[in-house]
Amino acid sequence: MTTELTRMTAAELSAALASRDVSATEVTRAHLDRIAAVDDRVHAFLHVAADSALAQAGDIDARRQAGERPGPLAGVPVAVKDVFTTVGMPTTCGSRILEGWHPPYDATITRRLRQAGAVILGKTNMDEFAMGSSTENSAFGPSHNPWDLDRVPGGSSGGSAAAVAAFEAPLAIGTDTGGSIRQPAAVCGIVGTKPTYGGSSRYGVVAFASSLDTPGPFGRTVLDAALLHEAISGHDPCDSTSIDAPVPPVVAAARQADVAGMRIGVVTELSGEGYQPGVLSRFAEAVELLESLGAKVTEVSCPHFKYALPAYYLIAPSECSSNLARFDAMRYGLRVGDDGTRDAEEVMALTRERGFGAEVKRRIILGTYALSSGYYDAYYGKAQQVRTLIIRDFDAAFGQVDVLVSPTTPTTAFPIGERVDDPMAMYLADLCTIPSDLAGNAAISVPCALAPEDGLPVGLHVMAPALADDRMYRVAAAAEAAFTARWGQPLIAQAKGLGS
Amino acid sequence: MTVIDTLVPFDEAMLRYEPVIGLETHVELGTRTKMFCGCTTIFGAAPNTQVCPVCLGLPGSLPVVNRMAIEYTIRIGLALNCSIAPWCRFARKNYFYPDMPKNFQISQYDEPLCTNGWLDVAVDDQRVRVGIERVHLEEDTGKSLHVGGATGRIHGAEYSLVDYNRAGIPLVEIVTKPIEGTGAAAPDVARAYVTELRDLVRALGVSDVRMEEGSLRSDVNVSLAPRGSGRWGKRTETKNVNSLRSVERAVRFEIERQAAVLDAGGRVIQETRHFHEDSGTTTSGRSKEEAQDYRYFPEPDLVPVAPPAEWVEQIRATLPEAPAARRARLQAEWGLSDLDMAALRNAGALDLVAETVAAGASPSDARKWWLGELSRHAHDRGTDLAGLAITPADVARVAELVASGTLNDRLAREVIDGVLDGEGTPDEVVAARGLAVVSDAGALAAAVDEAIAAHPDVAARVRDGKVAAVGPLVGAVMRATGGKADAARVRDLILERLS
Amino acid sequence: MPPKDYGNGLIADSLPPHRSAFPPGPTAFPPAHPKMACMSITRDEVAHLARLARIALSDAELDHLAPQLGQIIAAVAQVQEVAAEGIPPTSHATGLTNVYRDDVPIPCLGPDAALDQAPAVEEQRFKVPRILGEG
């Protein structure tokens, strides 16, 4: 029974819990057991909150016993990226500078999960302050891809992706700034969504790049991701950038799963040099499959997409150089060098030197440079103009097609250590995902196949206009159904990394 | 490191140089809650009791704009005759300082909410129109206590203790355009501007603008150029100017100091200086090799502010009469000269007189009492007029009692004594002390006869036509009645008797 | 407030390119000419930036970072190839404006919760090392 529980999707667990075939406590125990069995190898979790998870589960069971009918996620376990504030659990953001920090308030999304009755199993590993594509920038060691433990699970939400792919949790929450949900989802063979920017609250999400950060769901199926997406989304008065509009009907769309008559655009620029051949071939097959399902496929050019990466690596570091200034040893977090002889500035500088990792320091310096007097117009200012042009490319494209598609990321999971000393190579992982972050649109990655070269998962990337999240869920669900029919089972069932 | 500056005496400096001044004034708004969060803003609360994740800048926190702060700022802008931006944004001003929890301040950079206004200021008989460059909104910082040094100041302190209650309180920054052509009146113009601005903001009801509590702070910019050169000199910015008098003194000192520098052939360093209350001097701020680079960029956590025109007009309709306009109106109504009006203002008596007139007194009676007897009382008691335990309504009643003949001036003064001593209202004091004028005709007649009888020689002179000699007889009657007669009436009675 | 024209006619900023309202103070760099965008960055420049950012980089890090950052800057400088005459910059993708809260108090954290994670506390305040002067 235990193995089965961890193999069930969130939708299946939800049904079983609602019909009281199984208790929330049993479900939680099963997942905690799974974590205990495999996490020493996967290292998805930085903190396992066993006691509070069981307490929450017990509470849900009591409520059901008393005749209450809590919502669909009540009793379903979820793993939370360590960038969300959680009362009663540490929040480190994968950084030494916040090691041991216990925030006094919950993120809005944490609160919504609690209100939905979801059982928070713990906090997952991530690249430090969400900067990276592999979790190798975590101060606490990388996570490992359940498909091949010597490979990265992607990043920055690699821990959340690995947890779901390793069956340690059916659902997880991450954040996507340049691709940090979709790329890990793709290389771990699961589903990951970046909702419309402003569709899910950033209150309580430790900021990396404020105009780009978007919390979103991971699941092993499109429907699971949709269920979580609906539970966490919606207007939040505590976040001024939060959109006051109804959450797009993503669950209904996931169930609809039909692309007949839909116009699908393949982005010309998101292909070519630097893309693994197997990734490109599997992507092409996926597109053919969609066509066979009745979609109309065309090629669409988005000429400014080739400037998306440089624009992103100006905007994001600029915003982060400012967002991370607060980590100065004065009010919380690490304090280094305060021996009574040093002044505040020295203590700040020593603390930040010791507390931040190399990638974070790199981006802070880069951002400081780009915002400097005399450089603003040429760098940050210019990047914001490029952003406008990318938005216009999307607008023009969505005038011709309903959704855009591309591979999610140019390669499959790369080996741990391969790119860690080559920041530019690392940045290339975000080539396909970054444009939708800059535009604030919605995008999803759904597993489409294994690459022939290495047998590792390849993700199909579907992009929709802002607030049309349901549209992409529809396409992703249709693709998933077709792929699953082709493989005979969910792709994730083929993951061999953990043995079982 | 103390540097004794050489100074050129002010009047001499003004012979050779022309000053250009500018003022940057910060007003702490009196909203119930902070600029970006719902923490209360009560002055004097225990440390760190009015803080939350947002104003502490905790990781993950986000700001949300207080609509009332926008409204108050628009009020100030309109009262200063500014244009209100149809669209503007907040910006981050990035620098590190422990009293700033995020190590950036949310402020406005090149898109202020209000621009291009003016405020008229009167100094003696000079009217100066001070241009207002901009009015923008930002958040205040926390407060540090420096522990271990000699004077509680930063230098020599061992460590600091930070209280964030004040962090996040809305702050409006009002920046003047450079003020030229004031000549030797520059210090007075600076002071008059801050005074007028304070009164205006107070009248708007958006802040209690108390310099001593820090809800009004002013930085003073001064530059000098040789007379007639047509150039502008390098300006210094002086901070820590904590009273109206300090504004004047700081401008004066900087003029004297800069004149000395220029006289010696040196160059004035463009820098921030610190005003010292005790000595009336300014000293250089910490010298930096590199100037501050604030790396301003639009605040990504906040969306643009685009106040609809209808809202701005609604606010405009609720503006009260500007203090200057009110003063002009009252001056005309009361028929006073500029000098008389200035005297009222300087004595802090303007509002009191206005209220006394509103309570029924004539303007001249109201002025007489407040500037005369009551000013003397205030001086004796070491308080200001507003601090006296007598209301304008009381004063109006006393004036009425005198006008109707119930009291004479001497009795009225006794009544005022009684009111100030807490004995009650004027009527209550009159009754309790039995202070009414003796007006009983018979008693008066008797007293008159007695006085005439007691001073036959005086009476004789009056009968002979020397009316002016009647004084001692009046005095005698006044003494006989214990001062409770109406002197003028007594005089008339005596003259009648002796005619 | 509903967002304006969201999705298909995103309200990008209608602001002209960034301009300084105030004369800039002296800086350590000469102003950059856009065409001459720094393809390389010196160790001294990195040291200056690290000071601005309050990070006490070691000598080894300074040696290492300068060429690395030079590479990255050269790559991101590609944005300058884009002809963007008259294109307004986008700082907010959503097009939202006028988001406010009412001037109504919300319960504060309380001093215990506020100070609980502080490295040092004295007299209910955050105790910090001595401050040398204006930051």
Side-chain angles (χ1 to χ4, degrees), chain B residues 1-182:
Chain B
M1 184 189 69
T2 331
V3 173
I4 314 286
D5 291 293
T6 324
L7 304 174
V8 171
F10 184 79
D11 294 332
E12 206 191 306
M14 290 293 87
L15 292 176
R16 288 198 289 284
Y17 296 103
E18 270 163 5
V20 175
I21 56 174
L23 289 121
E24 280 171 35
T25 309
H26 284 89
V27 171
E28 243 180 43
L29 292 181
T31 50
R32 287 183 70 197
T33 60
K34 293 187 178 183
M35 184 68 226
F36 298 116
C37 67
C39 287
T40 45
T41 55
I42 300 162
F43 182 77
N48 292 304
T49 54
Q50 295 184 116
V51 294
C52 75
V54 177
C55 55
L56 279 178
L58 293 188
S61 63
L62 292 173
V64 184
V65 174
N66 181 341
R67 186 190 294 105
M68 192 62 78
I70 302 287
E71 186 174 316
Y72 280 10
T73 307
I74 293 176
R75 263 169 99 74
I76 293 175
L78 290 174
L80 290 172
N81 307 290
C82 290
S83 311
I84 309 299
W87 186 98
C88 67
R89 287 179 295 191
F90 286 94
R92 290 193 185 176
K93 179 178 183 183
N94 296 284
Y95 65 100
F96 286 80
Y97 203 67
D99 70 4
M100 262 205 333
K102 301 185 291 289
N103 286 318
F104 61 84
Q105 181 194 36
I106 301 179
S107 176
Q108 292 191 296
Y109 178 47
D110 49 3
E111 299 164 353
L113 184 50
C114 321
T115 52
N116 216 25
W118 45 266
L119 181 64
D120 284 339
V121 153
V123 177
D124 300 328
D125 48 1
Q126 227 191 332
R127 250 174 222 288
V128 179
R129 175 157 288 195
V130 175
I132 304 294
E133 177 74 44
R134 54 186 280 149
V135 177
H136 79 251
L137 248 184
E138 55 190 33
E139 51 177 348
D140 208 345
T141 63
K143 270 211 251 203
S144 317
L145 277 183
H146 307 296
V147 177
T151 58
R153 294 260 337 276
I154 270 187
H155 299 291
E158 280 169 36
Y159 58 90
S160 297
L161 299 175
V162 191
D163 169 20
Y164 293 104
N165 280 351
R166 198 183 68 178
I169 288 188
L171 216 53
V172 170
E173 181 172 327
I174 301 159
V175 181
T176 66
K177 298 188 182 172
I179 306 168
E180 297 179 81
T182 54

Side-chain angles (χ1 to χ4, degrees), chain A residues 344 353 361-362 384 388 466, chain C residues 6 61 68 87-88 90 117 130:
Chain A
E353 156 68 10
K361 285 185 215 171
R362 229 182 329 264
Q384 299 280 47
T388 303
Chain C
Y6 198 130
E61 279 172 309
Q68 216 174 43
I87 305 290
T90 298
Q117 300 287 298
R130 68 181 193 279

Side-chain angles (χ1 to χ4, degrees), chain A residues 384 388 391-392, chain B residues 87, chain C residues 9-15 88-93 95:
Chain A
Q384 299 280 47
T388 303
I391 292 171
R392 289 183 184 181
Chain B
W87 186 98
Chain C
L10 279 166
I11 303 293
D13 305 320
S14 56
L15 196 67
T90 298
S91 58
H92 297 97

Side-chain angles (χ1 to χ4, degrees), chain A residues 15-255:
Chain A
L17 285 161
S19 62
R20 303 183 64 195
D21 286 343
V22 74
S23 73
T25 306
E26 283 173 279
V27 171
T28 301
R29 279 237 171 75
H31 286 87
L32 290 172
D33 288 346
R34 175 69 178 170
I35 292 169
V38 305
D39 208 54
D40 58 329
R41 284 172 285 159
V42 177
H43 193 231
F45 284 87
L46 291 177
H47 174 84
V48 179
D51 291 340
S52 64
L54 287 168
Q56 169 91 39
D59 180 64
I60 297 293
D61 286 334
R63 284 164 59 191
R64 280 215 168 90
Q65 236 143 46
E68 276 183 52
R69 311 265 211 93
L73 287 189
V76 179
V78 66
V80 174
K81 182 179 184 181
D82 209 15
V83 76
F84 291 84
T85 61
T86 43
V87 173
M89 291 178 221
T91 297
T92 68
C93 304
S95 178
R96 237 175 247 300
I97 220 170
L98 275 184
E99 195 172 4
W101 182 54
H102 281 75
Y105 77 105
D106 272 340
T108 296
I109 281 183
T110 305
R111 213 168 21 89
R112 286 183 181 175
L113 287 174
R114 294 198 209 267
Q115 274 162 7
V119 174
I120 299 177
L121 292 172
K123 310 298 290 298
T124 57
N125 196 19
M126 52 184 282
D127 284 296
E128 189 180 2
F129 287 112
M131 298 184 219
S133 309
S134 66
T135 70
E136 292 170 289
N137 293 329
S138 168
F140 309 110
S143 299
H144 299 259
N145 194 320
W147 288 78
D148 176 345
L149 295 169
D150 292 327
R151 292 184 183 253
V152 302
S156 59
S157 313
S160 282
V164 171
F167 300 94
E168 294 173 280
L171 297 172
I173 302 275
T175 55
D176 194 307
T177 307
S180 291
I181 290 177
R182 292 161 287 159
Q183 182 258 4
V187 305
C188 286
I190 59 171
V191 178
T193 310
K194 187 202 90 66
T196 299
Y197 175 84
S200 50
S201 168
R202 288 187 302 116
Y203 185 73
V205 179
V206 179
F208 158 30
S210 314
S211 73
L212 303 169
D213 292 341
T214 313
F218 286 99
R220 290 190 289 273
T221 64
V222 173
L223 179 59
D224 277 6
L227 285 166
L228 188 52
H229 185 138
E230 258 183 31
I232 62 171
S233 296
H235 181 240
D236 181 14
C238 291
D239 175 356
S240 300
T241 58
S242 158
I243 297 173
D244 194 357
V247 179
V250 295
V251 172
R255 293 195 209 272

Side-chain angles (χ1 to χ4, degrees), chain A residues 279-297:
Chain A
V279 166
L280 288 177
S281 61
R282 290 300 191 223
F283 170 69
E285 287 165 26
V287 170
E288 272 170 33
L289 184 57
L290 287 172
E291 212 166 13
S292 73
L293 294 175
K296 288 216 260 296
V297 177

